Amino acid sequence: MLNFTVGPVMASDAVRSVGAEQVPYFRTSEFSETMFENEKHILKFAKAPEGSKTVFLTNSSTGAMEAVVMNCFTEKDDVLVINGGSFGARFAEICKIHDVSHTEIKLRHGQKLTKEMLYQYDGQPFTGLLVNVDETSTGVLYDTQMIGDFCRKNHLFFVCDCVSSFLADPFNMAECGADVMLTGSQKVLACPPGISIIVLNPRAVDRVKDAHVKSMYFNLADALKNMERGQTPFTPAVGILRQINVRLKEIEAAGGEDAEVARVAAQAADFRKKIKDLPLELVSESPANGVTPVHPLHANAYEIFLKLKDEYGIWICPNGGDMKDTIFRVGHIGYLNHEDNTTLVNAFKDLQSKGLL
Ligand SMILES: *Cc1c(COP(=O)(O)O)cnc(C)c1O
């Protein structure tokens, strides 16, 4: 199997072999040590400011998105949601479910968010801003520094969904002033799905501790309290947390977060160069490194996904909703190299020779 989706992605041999081990009991000092190591690496890789804390939730990353909305905002808030695709729409939907007033800044698929567009909301009584740093459905990377400056000026609580951008695109939590950043296990961390990670800066830690959350499982104050001893309130996905530990150490040994970002960037650049002469159009005005959304000029995007999967054993990522027939995505995250790109591009060329691309 050759997997170019955006998650779950290809995992390294070391990560896979931990997955084959027996899952140990976890109320132990050994497991707490694993959790502290995980926290230390995540805070470093996110370039989080001093005093930041991490919590690990057992759920996919949408659970982290919802937990953040539930713990950081109330009906008294009024937030801006950058909505450039399905993940922006998801944040808006979560706000709606939890009665958090919100205004969507809607973008065309692939459209970049400019300073002019954002500053139309300058000086208005908003209290927070939510953004999916890489809007994975359209591969658009937003400028966290520019958005962070806007949030600082307007005193907005700033939430960054970095699910597909963490370790794929440059991100500096301290410099851009993000209060919260969240990510998950199955994207660049290249582990099985099941764990989401939330990093809270000191201001966010205070906010969460004072929150009155109507939920047992999504109570982040409880999670923070348990994490003081390297534990979680309830049984976590112990096996995946051990795989994450191996993966974080792999990244550190290979040069750390900047080296991993550079590796993903090179993987993306190599792919984009190799498809230049094919009838495939790039979609994003501000391309993120983790994924390349592509519009096939002469063929149906979903048909290409099915053909590659069924006849070549290669998995690209279909799109959902109204992008299903027009756009597919090729991921650059996980355990892939330039040769794998060549294998995929050769399959595209083969389809082209048969009149199917
Ligand atoms: C993958 C992804 C998510 C979360 O998806 P889950 O299926 O819940 O893991 C959220 N935001 C972005 C930007 C993503 O790419």
Side-chain angles (χ1 to χ4, degrees):
M1 180 211 221
L2 191 50
N3 180 355
F4 291 90
T5 68
V6 290
V9 299
M10 310 274 281
S12 71
D13 293 343
V15 167
R16 290 168 63 203
S17 70
V18 173
E21 288 176 11
Q22 296 284 3
V23 177
Y25 178 67
F26 66 104
R27 299 288 188 206
T28 60
S29 58
E30 287 82 0
F31 186 67
S32 291
E33 196 44 49
T34 300
M35 292 294 275
F36 286 136
E37 284 179 1
N38 287 353
E39 174 168 52
K40 186 188 75 187
H41 283 108
I42 293 287
L43 291 176
K44 174 179 178 283
F45 292 172
K47 303 190 200 293
E50 196 67 33
S52 298
K53 302 280 182 210
T54 309
V55 300
F56 297 87
L57 299 177
T58 293
N59 45 238
S60 88
S61 308
T62 304
M65 294 168 74
E66 185 158 19
V68 167
V69 171
M70 291 168 74
N71 283 261
C72 297
F73 299 113
T74 69
E75 303 93 86
K76 294 193 182 116
D77 281 288
D78 194 1
V79 303
L80 286 168
V81 177
I82 315 292
N83 180 356
S86 25
F87 292 102
R90 191 172 299 181
F91 256 148
E93 181 72 20
I94 293 171
C95 287
K96 189 168 158 218
I97 288 168
H98 295 284
D99 297 318
V100 175
S101 305
H102 56 284
T103 296
E104 293 174 51
I105 304 183
K106 278 207 173 178
L107 303 168
R108 266 183 293 108
H109 293 155
Q111 191 183 7
K112 172 179 174 174
L113 175 75
T114 62
K115 198 169 170 182
E116 291 66 39
M117 293 162 79
L118 186 59
Y119 276 77
Q120 286 173 21
Y121 301 87
D122 189 29
Q124 296 182 28
F126 291 105
T127 60
L129 184 147
L130 300 108
V131 66
N132 317 92
V133 173
D134 169 3
E135 168 52 74
T136 322
S137 64
T138 60
V140 171
L141 181 71
Y142 298 115
D143 182 344
T144 46
Q145 198 59 48
M146 185 266 283
I147 300 172
D149 291 343
F150 172 82
C151 288
R152 210 173 272 134
K153 179 167 186 284
N154 285 280
H155 310 290
L156 306 186
F157 190 85
F158 181 24
V159 174
C160 287
D161 164 355
C162 297
V163 177
S164 64
S165 62
F166 180 57
L167 296 167
D169 299 292
F171 180 70
N172 189 319
M173 188 170 172
E175 270 179 21
C176 77
D179 291 291
V180 174
M181 93 92 181
L182 63 98
T183 190
S185 52
Q186 85 274 26
K187 303 271 166 93
V188 195
L189 283 176
C191 284
I195 290 290
S196 69
I197 302 168
I198 304 174
V199 178
L200 305 156
N201 76 1
R203 177 162 90 138
V205 168
D206 287 344
R207 180 177 287 221
V208 159
K209 282 185 176 163
D210 292 340
H212 302 283
V213 188
K214 277 200 187 143
S215 170
M216 177 182 272
Y217 199 73
F218 288 121
N219 185 319
L220 294 185
D222 197 15
L224 278 172
K225 190 153 165 283
N226 276 266
M227 194 56 200
E228 285 171 16
R229 56 187 177 105
Q231 290 287 325
T232 52
F234 316 106
T235 311
V238 176
I240 299 170
L241 286 159
R242 293 177 76 236
Q243 288 175 293
I244 287 174
N245 189 258
V246 169
R247 171 69 174 144
L248 291 169
K249 286 176 179 168
E250 264 181 0
I251 292 171
E252 187 61 27
E257 68 279 16
D258 296 339
E260 181 62 12
V261 168
R263 201 192 62 73
V264 177
Q267 181 70 13
D270 176 68
F271 173 74
R272 289 166 194 169
K273 191 180 76 206
K274 284 174 179 161
I275 61 163
K276 275 231 153 70
D277 297 328
L278 292 171
L280 299 172
E281 188 177 77
L282 300 185
V283 173
S284 170
E285 284 178 6
S286 165
N289 290 330
V291 61
T292 303
V294 171
H295 169 54
L297 295 176
H298 312 310
N300 179 289
Y302 197 75
E303 290 298 322
I304 296 172
F305 156 70
L306 289 177
K307 275 252 166 333
L308 287 175
K309 173 168 74 67
D310 297 339
E311 292 172 25
Y312 297 81
I314 298 175
W315 297 53
I316 55 172
C317 206
N319 249 4
D322 57 353
M323 291 181 263
K324 181 178 171 198
D325 294 319
T326 52
I327 295 174
F328 64 73
R329 295 169 294 165
V330 174
H332 312 299
I333 58 182
Y335 202 58
L336 288 168
N337 58 36
H338 294 198
E339 234 170 90
D340 297 324
N341 280 339
T342 301
T343 305
L344 172 60
V345 171
N346 285 340
F348 283 143
K349 286 180 180 162
D350 199 48
L351 285 178
Q352 190 184 25
S353 73
K354 294 174 182 159
L356 298 169
L357 186 81

